[in-house]
Amino acid sequence: MTPVHTQYIASVELDTDRLAKDLAQSASFTWSEAYSDYLFGGPWKSAMLWALGGDSGDGVMTNYAYDLTASFTDYGRQTPYLQELITDIADLSRLVFVRLATVANSVIIPHRDLLEFTEIADERRIAHRVHIPLVTHENCFFSERNTVFRMRTGEVWGLNAAQMHSVASLTNQPRTHIIFDFADRPGPGPLVKVERQNTGPDIPADRMVVRPPLPDEIRADLLRLADVLTMDTFSEVFSIIIKQHFRYDGGESFAWDTIKAIARVCKDPAVLPHTLELHRYYTLERSA
């Protein structure tokens, strides 16, 4: 089963020299920009290192043949250190995809993943996700529901991608993660072959970002964005709201509640139906 909460599992020591060589090699890849519609700033770029049929494909995970066996892609074979890392860490018998993913100076729309996989057989469907940051920085944040935290370089995190989550990378410095997706089927051992080091809370206190309550004056300023909210400015306005989520605690559904509130009173009649459709697509249901 997918974990109820995101959790820090352990840390692995990365070979910085070998990693640097692989990341330099990845500069020659043709990176997919699939899922860049999930963020403002962008793009969100990824390269498949392990995939169904061993095909790097287009990066859209529902476009792969789920009846094929997964294996390393050409990109995976060109990055020997990452290939070794994947083999050492993951249960390959249940591994469906591994992506090298990078983002900078962007915020990701609060969303739930895995909604489009309902028609894929249970034993093949992606159900578990693991992240290992390879390159990150202090101005990179992850949130699950209303909890904001940082993932540090070399840490192994199990993520509940079915929960509402978001990311902010508030600098031009790229954030690069390796992302593992596993099927939910029985296996001889754990999905990741690392000894659990975290014996405390799922998200340790020193990874948490303590945000002050959203001040009333800032909430009022955000609501006044209705005066400038149109279809032309939608991305900029929603981006501002999402950034505030990572700086202040505005409540459980702050970002979506705020954009819907100002969409209801803005002068452009097209904005509210657009906002409601985006909310449905990113958080409730979407087809492949």
Side-chain angles (χ1 to χ4, degrees):
M1 296 291 292
T2 301
V4 176
H5 302 290
T6 289
Q7 53 190 258
Y8 164 63
I9 300 170
S11 294
V12 294
E13 186 174 351
L14 299 175
D15 186 321
T16 55
D17 291 338
R18 295 182 66 197
L19 175 60
K21 289 180 181 178
D22 277 9
L23 294 180
Q25 174 63 28
S26 74
S28 67
F29 296 170
T30 301
W31 292 72
S32 168
E33 294 187 6
Y35 305 108
S36 288
D37 56 325
Y38 281 62
L39 54 80
F40 302 122
W44 195 90
K45 300 195 298 182
S46 66
M48 283 288 187
L49 306 181
W50 172 279
L52 297 163
D55 181 10
S56 59
D58 64 1
V60 179
M61 292 186 290
T62 50
N63 287 350
Y64 292 77
Y66 278 74
D67 58 337
L68 298 180
T69 300
S71 62
F72 283 106
T73 68
D74 180 56
Y75 293 155
R77 291 188 293 272
Q78 290 182 51
T79 48
Y81 176 63
L82 294 179
Q83 184 177 7
E84 181 180 305
L85 187 66
I86 293 165
T87 302
D88 288 346
I89 287 177
D91 176 359
L92 302 184
S93 70
R94 290 179 281 178
L95 187 61
V96 182
F97 295 111
V98 181
R99 293 170 288 168
L100 190 63
T102 186
V103 66
N105 200 24
S106 302
V107 292
I108 293 181
I109 296 170
H111 68 284
R112 297 169 60 221
D113 288 329
L114 313 180
L115 297 176
E116 62 268 49
F117 293 94
T118 55
E119 296 182 3
I120 297 171
D122 289 349
E123 71 275 7
R124 308 288 290 179
R125 183 189 309 149
I126 295 169
H128 305 277
R129 180 162 293 165
V130 170
H131 275 235
I132 302 178
L134 302 177
V135 178
T136 189
H137 47 78
E138 283 298 296
N139 282 316
C140 183
F141 309 98
F142 194 95
S143 72
E144 181 182 283
R145 300 178 68 176
N146 198 34
T147 300
V148 176
F149 59 98
R150 295 182 179 91
M151 294 184 277
R152 296 173 177 167
T153 301
E155 292 183 341
V156 182
W157 286 79
L159 302 184
N160 183 351
Q163 291 276 13
M164 189 82 77
H165 61 281
S166 181
V167 175
S169 182
L170 304 178
T171 175
N172 289 324
Q173 178 183 342
R175 183 212 81 161
T176 302
H177 283 206
I178 188 168
I179 304 173
F180 302 74
D181 285 308
F182 296 89
D184 190 18
R185 55 176 175 261
L191 295 174
V192 288
K193 299 176 289 186
V194 293
E195 183 176 352
R196 185 177 178 87
Q197 298 168 0
N198 179 25
T199 58
D202 288 341
I203 302 175
D206 63 350
R207 311 310 196 274
M208 299 279 283
V209 177
V210 179
R211 298 164 297 151
L214 182 73
D216 290 342
E217 59 269 24
I218 292 182
R219 190 183 296 274
D221 288 343
L222 293 174
L223 294 176
R224 280 195 291 271
L225 289 171
D227 295 340
V228 297
L229 178 60
T230 66
M231 290 297 291
D232 290 337
T233 63
F234 184 88
S235 296
E236 291 82 0
V237 170
F238 201 8
S239 175
I240 291 169
I241 294 168
I242 296 169
K243 288 176 182 178
Q244 294 302 312
H245 160 69
F246 288 95
R247 300 301 189 188
Y248 297 100
D249 183 353
E252 180 73 28
S253 306
F254 162 72
W256 280 111
D257 286 350
T258 303
I259 190 65
K260 286 191 287 185
I262 66 176
R264 290 188 178 98
V265 297
C266 76
K267 297 177 182 178
D268 187 338
V271 169
L272 180 57
H274 175 68
T275 303
L276 297 177
E277 171 57 22
L278 289 184
H279 182 257
R280 181 201 65 81
Y281 178 83
Y282 287 113
T283 72
L284 300 174
E285 60 178 354
R286 57 180 173 268
S287 65

